[in-house]
Amino acid sequence: MCGIISYAGKRKALPILLEGLYRLEYRGYDSAGVAVVEKNGVVQSVRAVGRVEDLASSLSGVDMHGTVGIAHTRWATHGAPSVANAHPHADCKNSVFVVHNGIIENHNHVRSALLREGHVFSSETDSEVLAHLIERALAGYRKPFFLEDAVSEALRHVEGTFGIAVVSAHDAGKLVVARRGSPLLLGIGDGEFFAASDSAALVRHTRRIVYLDDNELGILSPQGYEVRNFRHKPVAKAIETLVGSLSDAQKGQYEHFMAKEIHEAPDVIRNALRGRVLYHDGTVKIGALDSLAKKSARIERVVIPSCGTSFYAGLAGKYMIEEFAGIPTEVVHASEFRYAPPPLGAHTLVVAISQSGETADTLEAVREAKRKRAPTLAIVNVVGSSIAREAQMGIYNYAGPEIGVASTKAFISQLTVLSLLAVWLGRQHSLSVSTGRSILEELQYLPQKAAVALAAAPRVRELAEIYGAYDNFLYLGRKYNWPTALEGALKLKEISYAHAEGYAAGEMKHGPIALVTDTFPTVVIAPSDSVYEKTISNIQEIKARRGKIIAVATEGNTEIEKLADHILFIPKTIEMLTPILAVIPLQLFAYYVAHKRGCDIDKPRNLAKSVTVE
Ligand code: F6R
């Protein structure tokens, strides 16, 4: 949610900043801007509404030669997308320029105080107060000489979250960045230094990374970098190495990242399993779980705070953990957990699930759980992300960068990891070796089966041709595939803007059936599992009301052909793993419907990839 890239080195900053913005665009894309400090100390800034390419057009013919600069791509929180609200924001004298991710919660109060002091504001954003606070600090009675001192002083007056990058005509040649609650990392190059909200913007230039922690400030210049806390004390930071390749963040043969990422399902499952299966013992080996075994008392409850797609993965995980480990499990929207946390304690394992590892509500849920002394385990895809570092134990998905804003491969990976967690917890309780083995054996076949499910893409595309113009869809599933129905509906609505509702199939009669007509199709997830017959009854009820049915069913099921208007087959697997295969045709269906409707699939309207504000 909003992307920051900034640079201090010997090369011209502008091309580096623009290239970084393109890589960060998936985090927010309603406006963008840059500011570069020129050799004479003057700061030049250009902003534009729309995509990074709109900014690039606005920059054509503009000469920027400076080697220190900041840039931002925005997802609006305070103030509509407009040039005035785009970052960087400047002070009254166009001397201090700031880009900001996060929310300054007391901005109204600070703005009023600054207005009284004569400052003139030019945007409706919360962020602009930062530029004026730094201006005030630079001009203050104690006259701090260095930009970093002025930034520290300014930050004393704000409440909320921020990741910021600042340049100024005063102390030109220096880039100051700071973090509280919004991700920020430094890239260490050879005589050049970067700071970004996301490693995607850095990977082309350097793999040497320093993660800033909350209340830390980085001072970067072509001569070097230093990290301090807000009390001016130097902080020794480790340099870590980024993993992954540049091609991970490219579309390759695919038209969209989303299509590429859906088709990565087999590899994603393999990567989540690699080195973790102890088939002989019918269990799994994951470092985090070893430390959980050592540190914690018996786990009596599991609570899963998460958001969106990760929440739906958590719902399927609940069924896995309850069925195979017998441990009561509750899945809580992280945004609710934050203000109404369930009872927690040393015997409750809190499992935070997040692709980005930066979702503000999930991060806060982890912090709240730690305050309540509950053991915290994170299932996170982005290595080194805030949630990964905040939780006491972590399991990485190793799914590779997910660039499409709609989460696809992460869901598949999260379900795979949750099945491993269920086996491990089960084996700590009463799950037998043989049941553990049978789950692990089936998991080993899953990549091939996912490839078979993906091979149905042309058939899914045909269905999208038929249904692409419909505006309303109902998605139904039971037990393990209720979360799949919720996820299928979420995918469709977020990228195609068709209205879609996911429901537990048994709940249909309690309301949603009123919606069913011959122009309100229902997608039913009906694999051959323990609730298949019940789901078939629901299909019949819809047919009786002239509703059209698209069924996701298990290969070889000929009975369903008599009932459903269209069928998408998936390979047979054990019940707990059916969501991993069943979601594939649903992801493809959402993709092709959105494609037919001409939607901007990788950057859907109003959304941003990682939600770093609450
Ligand atoms: C949906 C989607 C979102 C995310 C949610 C949580 O396609 O991408 O619903 O799943 O914002 O994000 P993470 O998993 O990064 O915490």
Side-chain angles (χ1 to χ4, degrees), residues 307-310 353-356 359 405-407 490-491 494 611:
C307 301
T309 291
S310 298
I353 307 177
S354 174
Q355 185 288 129
S356 62
T359 300
V405 164
S407 188
L490 176 64
K491 282 300 82 102
E494 68 183 331
V611 183

Side-chain angles (χ1 to χ4, degrees), residues 306-312 353-360 362-363 379 381-382 387 402 404-408 410 414 487 490-491 494-495 607-611:
S306 43
C307 301
T309 291
S310 298
F311 176 84
Y312 296 149
I353 307 177
S354 174
Q355 185 288 129
S356 62
E358 299 296 350
T359 300
T362 312
L363 177 60
I379 299 176
N381 190 36
V382 178
I387 294 171
E402 191 178 65
V405 164
S407 188
T408 52
Q414 288 163 347
E487 174 59 8
L490 176 64
K491 282 300 82 102
E494 68 183 331
I495 60 164
L607 293 174
K609 185 67 185 162
S610 61
V611 183

Side-chain angles (χ1 to χ4, degrees), residues 404-473:
V405 164
S407 188
T408 52
K409 64 176 177 175
F411 182 72
I412 287 177
S413 175
Q414 288 163 347
L415 292 175
T416 310
V417 170
L418 283 162
S419 67
L420 295 178
L421 178 63
V423 169
W424 186 85
L425 286 169
R427 296 288 290 120
Q428 305 290 301
H429 288 68
S430 57
L431 188 74
S432 67
V433 180
S434 61
T435 308
R437 278 184 191 161
S438 63
I439 296 170
L440 296 172
E441 186 176 3
E442 187 55 26
L443 274 167
Q444 302 293 333
Y445 293 127
L446 218 54
Q448 286 156 263
K449 294 186 179 183
V452 173
L454 284 165
R459 165 97 184 107
V460 184
R461 187 170 204 158
E462 284 167 19
L463 278 193
E465 284 298 319
I466 300 171
Y467 288 99
Y470 284 64
D471 283 328
N472 298 291
F473 291 80

Side-chain angles (χ1 to χ4, degrees), residues 537-579:
S537 304
N538 297 131
I539 293 180
Q540 267 154 344
E541 287 152 7
I542 293 164
K543 288 307 295 174
R545 285 154 185 89
R546 297 190 303 121
K548 293 205 169 60
I549 299 284
I550 303 168
V552 176
T554 305
E555 268 167 6
N557 179 350
T558 46
E559 181 202 13
I560 203 162
E561 286 173 5
K562 295 179 208 122
L563 289 172
D565 296 274
H566 307 279
I567 307 164
L568 296 168
F569 284 111
I570 54 168
K572 186 171 171 41
T573 186
I574 54 173
E575 183 169 20
M576 77 182 283
L577 302 180
T578 51

Side-chain angles (χ1 to χ4, degrees), residues 20 199 301 465 531:
S199 62
R301 241 173 100 233
E465 284 298 319
V531 286

